[in-house]
């Protein structure tokens, strides 16, 4: 790629991303206006009920309300000065085990409040020093604490190779299961909230714990889980999420949408922002813990406090939501832990306690281990990928009775492909005069402002063909049949339209960054690609054939199925494979951007192509 080509391509790619971000901010503004229009406790409660109902749907799967307490296996108790630690295995579902530590004060005469501690993205999970220290700090302050491993951290690695060694963990692993979860109509948020709710069930069932006085806290990814569970689970009477809450508007201008556990499909369309995780529970006490030099922008954190505090004020509890900060970088620093435990003691136990920080780490790595080899080494254990595969197969069986018309109706609605009159039309804007071969580079300019790399070679009377995602400027027309009437176009965030900045967690590529925003807007990159292909094809005569490249075939397959009167499927070369095949592997990074939430309840890609 020459410098002359690189400049305009990246300028256009970043321009297109800016349009996506502008839509994110517009959706947030609508949510803000609605929240700020609340004027009374009655209106607040109505808004809370509506938004919490949405959040529960978007955080599928949700445990049934009439569930029994989970099976819990206990290990040998470790005695420490003033408290004990009990290793636990909690059956989140049959065969799906959550490893945890229960910290209890010694000499209890009556049940005490219980605090659920969610772990952030650390390989050691609950064994990481700050999470051990937080559990001990609770126990020495008169509170029970349950610290549990989230999926793909600590002893809960879900992606193992043939020798049982971990292949992925943390954010990357969350995106792998997150992509599959979206396809079956679930979310990574929902998978983790289920485990957290079952861990809370186990804590509440303890005889040492007062189930009417439960709280949640955590840091980083644990702050994410704490904030989300607080919004979802009304048993929680206090929260202290740390190093997470900011605003999507600030994230959009910085590090982006984050991994799949940190958002829900459709949440932006519903107008939800970080502040709402707290506002949905007003007037229940909530403390935001933050650092001044975080990659979660502190300016957004202060905006979140102001937004939540306005709702709390309407509920007569302005001081029940607060913010504590330290001048540090990302991490659960001792002052934040102390503030969190002090908040829990005040609001759950009604006591003014000054937690005593010692800095001691109560367990060695060997002592912190609940089960040798991790939870998947247990007899009869299943992984989250086993569960997701089973759900995909269940949906495949259930959808067999759908008609072709029902399949296509679902595909259009779920992918978000609008009818022709409702989507932006396109024009070809040349950037150079035609060359000696008649080829002409340029841009497809859409009515919504998108600028897509394109190339055109007119051959009146020749077979019309659109190439999607070939690399319209970098590969161009080289090697393509001279007699064809050609249009090449690269759709949003793909091929020459892909921004070179903001690759989403490395292996997932820049397409997934934009796709993650679109999922939250209730849209899909697949649907955008289908619409952009159809708009470009309308510039050619008749019914052009489509040749789609790489994962651009997913959007192309939707366009061919939904509007066969505009495209010639018989001459097209579009074979995207199936989404079901993703459930047999975890080498699916690029696919994250090319799924349709809830699709497998109605169709798979091979079903789109069926006559």
């Amino acid at each position: 790629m020459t410098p002359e080509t690189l400049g305009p391509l990246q300028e256009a790619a970043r321009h297109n991303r800016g349009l996506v971000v502008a839509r994110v901010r517009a959706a947030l503004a609508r949510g803000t206006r609605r929240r700020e229009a609340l004027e009374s406790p009655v209106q607040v409660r109505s808004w809370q009920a509506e938004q919490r109902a949405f959040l529960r749907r978007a955080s599928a799967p949700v445990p049934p309300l009439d569930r029994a307490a989970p099976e819990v296996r206990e290990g040998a108790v470790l005695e420490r000065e003033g408290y004990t630690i009990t290793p636990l295995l909690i059956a989140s579902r049959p065969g799906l085990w959550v490893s945890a530590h229960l910290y209890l004060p010694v000499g209890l005469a009556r049940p005490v409040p219980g605090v659920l501690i969610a772990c952030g993205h650390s390989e050691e999970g609950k064994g990481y020093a700050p999470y051990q220290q937080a559990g001990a700090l609770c126990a020495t302050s008169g509170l029970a604490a349950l610290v549990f491993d989230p999926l793909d951290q600590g002893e809960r690695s879900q992606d193992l190779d043939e020798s049982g060694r971990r292949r992925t963990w943390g954010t990357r692993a969350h995106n792998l299961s997150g992509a599959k979860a979206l396809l079956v109509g679930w979310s990574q948020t929902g998978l983790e909230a289920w485990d957290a709710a079952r861990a809370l069930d186990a804590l509440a069932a303890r005889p040492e714990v007062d189930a009417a006085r439960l709280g949640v806290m955590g840091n980083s990814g644990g702050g994410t889980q704490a904030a989300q569970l607080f919004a979802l689970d009304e048993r929680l009477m206090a929260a202290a999420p740390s190093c997470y809450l900011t605003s999507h508007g600030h994230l959009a201008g910085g590090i982006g949408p984050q991994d799949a556990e940190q958002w829900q499909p459709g949440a932006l369309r519903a107008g939800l922002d970080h502040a709402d995780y707290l506002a949905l529970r007003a007037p229940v006490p909530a403390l935001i813990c933050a650092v001044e030099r975080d990659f979660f922008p502190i300016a957004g954190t202060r905006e979140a406090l102001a937004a939540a505090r306005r709702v709390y004020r309407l509920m007569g509890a302005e001081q029940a939501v607060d913010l504590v900060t330290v001048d540090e970088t990302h991490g659960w620093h001792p002052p934040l832990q102390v503030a969190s435990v002090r908040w829990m003691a005040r609001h759950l136990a009604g006591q003014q306690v000054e937690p005593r920080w010692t800095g001691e780490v109560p367990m060695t790595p060997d002592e912190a281990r609940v089960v040798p080899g991790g939870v998947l080494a247990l007899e009869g254990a299943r992984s989250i990928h086993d569960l997701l595969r089973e759900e995909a197969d269940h949906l495949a069986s259930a959808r067999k009775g759908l008609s072709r018309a029902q399949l296509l109706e679902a595909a259009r609605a779920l992918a978000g492909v609008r009818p022709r009159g409702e989507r932006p039309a396109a024009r070809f804007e040349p950037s150079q005069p035609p060359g000696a071969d008649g080829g002409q580079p340029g841009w497809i300019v859409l009515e919504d402002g998108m600028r897509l790399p394109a190339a055109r070679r007119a051959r009146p009377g020749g077979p019309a063909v659109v190439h999607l995602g070939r690399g319209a400027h970098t590969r161009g027309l080289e090697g393509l049949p001279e007699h064809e009437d050609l249009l090449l176009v690269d759709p949003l965030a793909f091929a020459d339209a892909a921004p070179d900045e903001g690759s989403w967690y490395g292996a997932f590529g820049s397409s997934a960054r934009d796709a993650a925003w679109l999922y939250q807007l209730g849209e899909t990159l697949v649907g955008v690609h289908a619409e952009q292909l159809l708009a470009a094809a309308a510039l050619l005569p008749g019914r052009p054939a489509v040749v789609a490249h790489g994962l651009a075939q997913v959007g192309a397959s939707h366009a061919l199925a939904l509007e066969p009167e505009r495209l010639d499927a018989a001459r097209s070369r579009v074979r995207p494979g199936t989404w079901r095949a993703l459930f047999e592997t975890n080498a699916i990074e690029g696919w994250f951007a090319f799924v349709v939430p809830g699709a497998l309840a109605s169709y798979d890609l091979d079903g789109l192509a069926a006559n």
Side-chain angles (χ1 to χ4, degrees):
M1 184 182 296
T2 66
E4 292 77 14
T5 303
L6 176 64
L9 285 177
Q10 282 308 304
E11 182 180 354
R14 296 187 185 198
H15 163 80
N16 293 340
R17 173 163 288 170
L19 293 176
V20 174
V21 168
R23 294 178 56 206
V24 168
R25 291 189 167 129
L28 291 169
R30 290 192 294 272
T32 297
R33 287 194 296 271
R34 186 178 178 202
R35 190 192 316 111
E36 291 181 346
L38 301 173
E39 296 181 343
S40 70
V42 171
Q43 291 179 345
V44 169
R45 284 190 287 269
S46 175
W47 171 80
Q48 288 174 327
E50 179 185 335
Q51 293 293 63
R52 190 179 301 111
F54 164 80
L55 193 60
R56 284 177 173 152
R57 292 193 301 272
S59 300
V62 177
L65 294 176
D66 60 351
R67 62 189 182 269
E71 177 190 352
V72 176
R73 300 177 185 176
E74 297 188 19
V77 176
L78 301 176
E79 296 184 356
R80 296 294 182 263
E81 185 177 352
Y83 65 96
T84 62
I85 307 171
T86 304
L88 303 178
L89 286 170
I90 303 165
S92 178
R93 304 169 186 261
L96 271 73
W97 293 96
V98 176
S99 39
H101 292 142
L102 176 68
Y103 293 75
L104 289 173
V106 297
L108 292 179
R110 63 182 63 88
V112 296
V115 178
L116 187 69
I117 298 179
C119 297
H121 292 115
S122 62
E123 288 191 73
E124 303 96 324
K126 68 191 177 314
Y128 186 48
Y131 304 129
Q132 291 194 47
Q133 291 164 331
L137 195 62
C138 282
T140 56
S141 301
L143 306 170
L146 193 150
V147 189
F148 68 100
D149 283 330
L151 287 167
D152 286 296
Q153 290 165 235
E155 299 181 69
R156 297 191 66 206
S157 295
Q158 305 291 298
D159 180 22
L160 306 177
D161 63 18
E162 293 75 11
S163 65
R165 299 170 67 178
R166 179 171 57 199
R167 284 185 292 214
T168 57
W169 73 279
T171 54
R172 182 176 176 186
H174 294 160
N175 292 335
L176 296 177
S177 53
K180 299 175 186 180
L182 289 175
L183 280 168
V184 300
W186 296 350
S187 67
Q188 185 67 21
T189 295
L191 296 177
E192 297 196 15
W194 180 299
D195 285 345
R198 295 303 272 158
L200 189 63
D201 292 345
L203 178 63
R206 299 290 306 193
E208 306 93 342
V209 173
D210 182 348
R213 295 185 291 165
L214 300 173
V216 65
M217 64 189 201
N219 182 70
S220 189
T224 304
Q225 295 173 69
Q228 292 172 348
L229 190 67
F230 182 59
L232 289 166
D233 199 317
E234 294 179 82
R235 293 176 296 173
L236 292 166
M237 293 293 104
S242 178
C243 288
Y244 168 62
L245 290 174
T246 178
S247 76
H248 284 300
H250 281 271
L251 291 175
I255 58 176
Q258 299 301 281
D259 68 298
E261 74 168 359
Q262 298 194 40
W263 45 264
Q264 304 83 20
L268 290 173
R269 182 174 61 183
L272 287 172
D273 204 349
H274 281 203
D276 296 311
Y277 290 131
L278 307 187
L280 288 178
R281 294 298 313 284
V284 179
L287 176 69
I288 304 172
C289 300
V291 295
E292 295 288 343
R293 292 171 283 133
D294 206 341
F295 45 79
F296 290 109
I298 189 65
T301 305
R302 292 193 168 94
E303 289 177 10
L305 172 66
R309 182 165 277 171
R310 184 185 181 280
V311 179
Y312 274 74
R313 185 182 305 122
L314 289 172
M315 300 300 288
E318 181 176 356
Q319 299 309 312
V321 63
D322 209 348
L323 168 67
V324 60
T325 68
V326 294
D327 187 18
E328 291 283 359
T329 57
H330 191 79
W332 212 6
H333 300 281
L336 298 181
Q337 291 194 35
V338 168
S340 298
V341 175
R342 185 190 302 122
W343 187 265
M344 294 295 159
R346 174 185 170 191
H347 292 287
L348 297 178
Q351 297 176 355
Q352 296 297 328
V353 171
E354 189 54 41
R356 186 173 63 88
W357 175 266
T358 67
E360 294 179 2
V361 180
M363 291 178 285
T364 67
D366 284 342
E367 289 175 323
R369 190 171 298 114
V370 174
V371 56
V375 296
L376 290 187
L378 293 167
E379 183 178 357
R382 298 188 300 154
S383 75
I384 198 66
H385 298 286
D386 295 329
L387 176 69
L388 290 162
R389 183 170 55 251
E390 290 165 7
E391 182 65 13
D393 289 341
H394 166 73
L395 293 176
S397 177
R399 70 172 180 261
K400 287 180 179 178
L402 293 180
S403 67
R404 177 72 176 169
Q406 289 172 317
L407 182 156
L408 294 177
E409 181 182 8
R412 185 180 287 277
L414 294 171
V417 181
R418 294 165 289 183
R420 186 176 189 181
E422 299 177 16
R423 59 182 184 248
R427 73 176 192 275
F428 178 72
E429 182 181 283
S431 57
Q432 296 177 20
D437 63 352
Q440 188 172 30
W443 305 90
I444 290 293
V445 181
L446 293 153
E447 290 176 334
D448 62 3
M450 292 275 177
R451 292 178 59 83
L452 308 176
R456 179 81 172 96
R457 185 172 65 201
R459 290 290 188 265
V465 180
V466 180
H467 281 260
L468 187 72
R470 171 184 162 90
H473 286 194
T474 54
R475 290 182 65 192
L477 300 164
E478 183 179 357
L480 297 179
E482 285 287 335
H483 69 289
E484 291 182 342
D485 192 14
L486 291 174
L487 176 61
L488 281 60
V489 60
D490 294 329
L492 174 65
F494 193 82
D496 288 353
D500 63 0
E501 51 85 29
S503 182
W504 200 61
Y505 289 97
F508 293 85
S510 57
S511 295
R513 185 181 177 109
D514 296 276
W517 286 128
L518 290 169
Y519 292 142
Q520 294 175 75
L521 288 166
E523 304 172 27
T524 69
L525 190 64
V526 169
V528 170
H529 283 190
E531 289 193 353
Q532 292 177 344
L533 168 59
L534 288 163
L539 301 176
L540 294 181
R543 294 170 62 233
V546 178
V547 178
H549 301 261
L551 287 169
Q553 294 178 91
V554 180
S557 67
H558 284 71
L560 284 163
L562 294 172
E563 301 194 12
E565 71 280 6
R566 304 191 189 283
L567 301 170
D568 188 344
R571 293 191 298 117
S572 294
R573 295 202 298 275
V574 177
R575 294 178 179 83
T578 69
W579 283 317
R580 173 60 183 80
L582 303 182
F583 292 80
E584 300 300 330
T585 177
N586 284 329
I588 65 171
E589 285 92 340
W591 275 91
F592 189 98
F594 298 96
V595 302
V596 170
L600 290 182
S602 302
Y603 71 101
D604 201 343
L605 296 173
D606 54 347
L608 285 177
N611 290 324

